Amino acid sequence: MKIKKILIANRGEIAIRIMRTCREMGICSVAVFSEADRTAMHVRYAEEAYYIGKSPSSESYLNGDKIIEVALRCGADAIHPGYGFLSENASFAKKCTDSGIIFIGPSPEVIIRMGDKIEARKTMIAAGVPVVPGTTEHIKSEKEAIEVIRSIGLPVMVKAAAGGGGKGMRLVHREEDIIPSVRAARSEALASFGDDAVYIEKYITSPHHIEFQILGDQHGNTVHLFERECSVQRRHQKMIEETPSPLMTPELRATMGKYAVEAAKAVAYSGAGTIEFLVDDNHNFYFLEMNTRLQVEHPITERVTGIDLVKQQIKIAEGEKLPFKQEDLKQSGHAIECRVYAEDPDNNFMPNPGKIFNITQPLGLGVRTDGYVYEGYEIPIYYDSMIAKLIVWAENRDEAIARMRRALYEYKITGVKTSIKFLEKIMETEDFKTGIYDTNFIEKNKDFLTEKSLCDGECLDMVMIAAYVEYLDQLNRAQTSKQLYPAQNRWKKYTYQKNFERL
Ligand code: MV4
């Protein structure tokens, strides 16, 4: 069936990202919006837009019944959930189908099966995919928890079956800590997910977080679109992703890719999905979780494969066959994504919503920005603080890093504090430049990354801003000349800033 009209049950950059593909495919886009989003970009971009409720997500973007009501009223054939919100909500997916609306994503059964991390582990074991050593049933007693750690050895992680993304997780180093940790994980899981089931896994020290993009159609064809390296994270919030992974070898890629396809086939997966692995320095890899949605970092995969993942999602939902086979797919060059958050790196990354006074987005060869904020736009307090993604591509990794540094240099946002300067510092670290980093990267480089820096969109008095923007431009020129002449001491720029502070 040809889809003619899609309701995008989301907001921000991902809503616009999806609408762009709809526009190219000649599909009509319908936006939904909350009170706080009346002036949001996704509302302006869409052909039609409908108010769905008050600002808190629970009263708008999470109100599945209201969204389905709008879809029926406006005659949408399908709903694209984006990521977050209702994207991995099986009962919403089922309600869509029951109302005669196509849910752009996998079946509710698959969402349920992969949402339960114990079920997911069992499924992968049955499919022959390596999983982290640990339990395949939930922990029923404290005695059992002790038996488990004696057999698999310490350290271990206690995880919530309904969890994922770091919630309801406890790291245990000592035997005497296992019982309190199981209790704590249980109560956190019960409070967050309404389900207190927990399981235990061997703790993998300093792993890499590498995920494989997969696409499956409704006719049993499944391919992978290679990997993404997502190890640059802070408290389970990803900051930078890249592809290819610097850790990867052609052999490891072929092996892990084969398992990723097996994993998807084991649940007859249809749509776009991700198989997450933990990989240690010796190239041992273990299935971690499966995400049954389009992910934030999907553009780097699009850039190296040349495939529009949203377009493929829509075609799969229409019942079409995948137009390519595994051997048709190639990775070309290197792509990096930096996530720009409206938050203050100098104040423990506290969200920093507010009004965008001034924004200049990077442009030029090999640069893509997926964002949604504009000058004069006020970032609402209710939603995620990510305001844009900056994606660059170049022939190889070193050139991609150089291009990312150039693009970050061009990126200017005033009015709210952002992570742009922090991202620039990450690009300057030896560990990132060499590509030898793992999930401990931010913690390991903390001192360097959090040196006080002033060159960042500060919330200044309005009268100060024009002068400040001018000053930033001059400062940036001065810095660039230092970077071009490495003999000069890079610390000098901080003296320069201190002088500014005293003015
Ligand atoms: C682990 C692990 C080590 N060993 N499981 C964090 C989020 C959740 N999705 C799973 N997580 C982890 N599970 C075992 N058995 C380390 C992490 C982890 C992590 C994983 C991916 C990316 C960043 C991370 C940061 C800290 C811990």
Side-chain angles (χ1 to χ4, degrees):
M1 181 214 149
K2 271 269 175 243
I3 293 172
K4 293 189 208 68
K5 190 171 192 175
I6 298 179
L7 182 151
I8 294 94
N10 215 303
R11 64 178 304 280
E13 68 85 19
I14 194 62
I16 297 166
R17 157 72 193 90
I18 295 161
M19 290 177 197
R20 283 183 162 136
T21 287
C22 289
R23 185 156 282 271
E24 291 178 16
M25 293 176 77
I27 294 170
C28 178
S29 299
V30 180
V32 290
F33 64 98
S34 67
E35 178 144 12
D37 274 343
R38 279 167 315 191
T39 60
M41 191 66 111
H42 75 283
V43 175
R44 298 184 181 186
Y45 194 101
E47 268 84 23
E48 294 172 34
Y50 298 93
Y51 174 77
I52 50 164
K54 298 260 175 257
S55 304
S57 314
S58 57
E59 294 176 51
S60 49
Y61 300 106
L62 286 172
N63 187 345
D65 292 340
K66 179 79 194 171
I67 290 170
I68 290 171
E69 185 195 314
V70 170
L72 290 171
R73 213 174 64 208
C74 75
D77 313 305
I79 293 181
H80 195 307
Y83 53 69
F85 296 133
L86 297 165
S87 60
E88 292 176 291
N89 184 318
S91 72
F92 176 70
K94 182 161 188 320
K95 278 185 193 166
C96 288
T97 316
D98 291 349
S99 312
I101 295 165
I102 297 170
F103 175 80
I104 301 179
S107 68
E109 294 73 30
V110 171
I111 298 175
I112 290 170
R113 189 127 156 236
M114 293 299 123
D116 180 333
K117 306 306 165 190
I118 297 175
E119 277 303 309
R121 279 170 64 77
K122 282 190 197 165
T123 306
M124 294 311 150
I125 292 167
V129 179
V131 302
V132 186
T135 60
T136 45
E137 296 295 337
H138 70 93
I139 301 297
K140 289 172 203 73
S141 68
E142 292 174 349
K143 184 166 150 279
E144 189 190 338
I146 293 168
E147 283 166 12
V148 167
I149 60 167
R150 287 192 182 150
S151 83
I152 65 175
L154 287 163
V156 297
M157 277 196 126
V158 182
K159 297 184 174 184
K167 253 199 190 150
M169 255 176 33
R170 284 289 181 287
L171 173 57
V172 180
H173 283 288
R174 302 179 310 175
E175 190 169 313
E176 60 263 42
D177 294 337
I178 187 70
I179 290 170
S181 297
V182 166
R183 284 188 190 152
R186 256 196 220 297
S187 64
E188 197 176 314
L190 188 63
S192 306
F193 316 110
D195 174 2
D196 74 351
V198 298
Y199 63 108
I200 297 177
E201 273 182 7
K202 175 102 188 136
Y203 181 62
I204 312 296
T205 317
S206 308
H208 294 254
H209 178 175
I210 297 179
E211 57 189 29
F212 274 71
Q213 176 69 53
I214 58 118
L215 279 177
D217 66 21
Q218 297 182 37
H219 308 275
N221 304 301
T222 313
V223 296
H224 72 82
L225 285 85
F226 313 104
E227 79 281 7
R228 294 186 289 256
E229 169 67 70
C230 304
S231 297
V232 182
Q233 308 204 0
R234 211 197 113 265
R235 289 197 224 128
H236 308 302
Q237 187 190 56
K238 291 177 188 168
M239 304 190 103
I240 296 177
E241 304 92 0
E242 63 177 313
T243 185
S245 164
L247 185 79
M248 202 54 72
T249 60
E251 297 71 37
L252 184 60
R253 178 175 296 118
T255 311
M256 290 179 72
K258 185 175 73 73
Y259 281 118
V261 169
E262 290 301 317
K265 283 193 181 232
V267 292
Y269 197 83
S270 102
T274 308
I275 312 293
E276 292 186 0
F277 293 98
L278 291 179
V279 187
D280 69 22
D281 290 332
N282 300 320
H283 288 187
N284 297 308
F285 60 89
Y286 310 94
F287 167 82
L288 189 63
E289 285 170 23
M290 176 171 194
N291 301 310
T292 56
R293 60 167 191 278
L294 182 70
Q295 286 193 262
V296 175
E297 58 272 29
H298 76 276
I300 57 172
T301 298
E302 296 188 316
R303 193 61 189 79
V304 298
T305 61
I307 289 165
D308 176 340
L309 287 169
V310 174
K311 181 174 176 183
Q312 293 309 321
Q313 285 187 299
I314 295 170
K315 291 191 164 275
I316 290 165
E318 286 179 332
E320 287 198 24
K321 287 188 174 153
L322 285 178
F324 36 71
K325 297 197 165 56
Q326 190 65 55
E327 57 269 28
D328 300 328
L329 300 171
K330 296 263 151 12
Q331 276 174 307
S332 153
H334 199 98
I336 307 177
E337 173 179 275
C338 279
R339 299 191 187 187
V340 178
Y341 292 96
E343 52 187 35
D344 185 358
D346 296 335
N347 184 18
N348 203 23
F349 300 86
M350 283 284 284
N352 194 253
K355 201 178 201 133
I356 301 287
F357 179 75
N358 190 286
I359 179 164
T360 310
Q361 307 245 51
L363 291 167
L365 187 60
V367 176
R368 162 176 173 182
T369 57
D370 277 25
Y372 74 104
V373 304
Y374 54 86
E375 285 181 357
Y377 175 72
E378 180 137 10
I379 301 163
I381 59 167
Y382 301 96
Y383 317 108
D384 192 82
S385 59
M386 191 183 77
I387 53 172
K389 306 183 305 206
L390 169 58
I391 303 104
V392 304
W393 178 90
E395 291 287 340
N396 58 52
R397 190 170 187 273
D398 286 345
E399 289 176 13
I401 292 173
R403 185 161 284 164
M404 181 58 84
R405 293 181 69 179
R406 183 271 287 177
L408 288 165
Y409 160 75
E410 289 178 12
Y411 220 140
K412 297 281 174 352
I413 298 177
T414 54
V416 298
K417 294 188 187 187
T418 74
S419 53
I420 293 172
K421 280 290 151 189
F422 191 78
L423 295 164
E424 282 195 81
K425 292 199 109 184
I426 292 177
M427 292 292 138
E428 287 173 25
T429 60
E430 253 343 275
D431 288 352
F432 194 81
K433 285 195 277 195
T434 55
I436 304 172
Y437 65 84
D438 56 45
T439 46
N440 294 322
F441 170 80
I442 300 280
E443 185 57 31
K444 187 167 160 255
N445 289 280
K446 190 173 70 195
D447 291 344
F448 174 76
L449 294 171
T450 55
E451 280 166 357
K452 174 134 183 67
S453 75
L454 218 152
C455 328
D456 143 49
E458 299 264 287
C459 262
L460 295 180
D461 203 29
M462 291 298 260
V463 234
M464 281 290 291
I465 288 176
Y468 184 67
V469 169
E470 177 61 25
Y471 166 78
L472 278 184
D473 276 335
Q474 285 180 23
L475 185 65
N476 271 319
R477 272 194 287 276
Q479 276 176 22
T480 312
S481 67
K482 278 179 193 132
Q483 283 160 10
L484 292 174
Y485 300 100
Q488 286 185 275
N489 182 354
R490 60 169 294 281
W491 299 103
K492 267 195 175 157
K493 68 184 181 191
Y494 296 105
T495 329
Y496 203 159
Q497 284 164 19
K498 285 209 183 90
N499 290 339
F500 177 70
E501 264 178 318
R502 267 190 239 112
L503 286 176

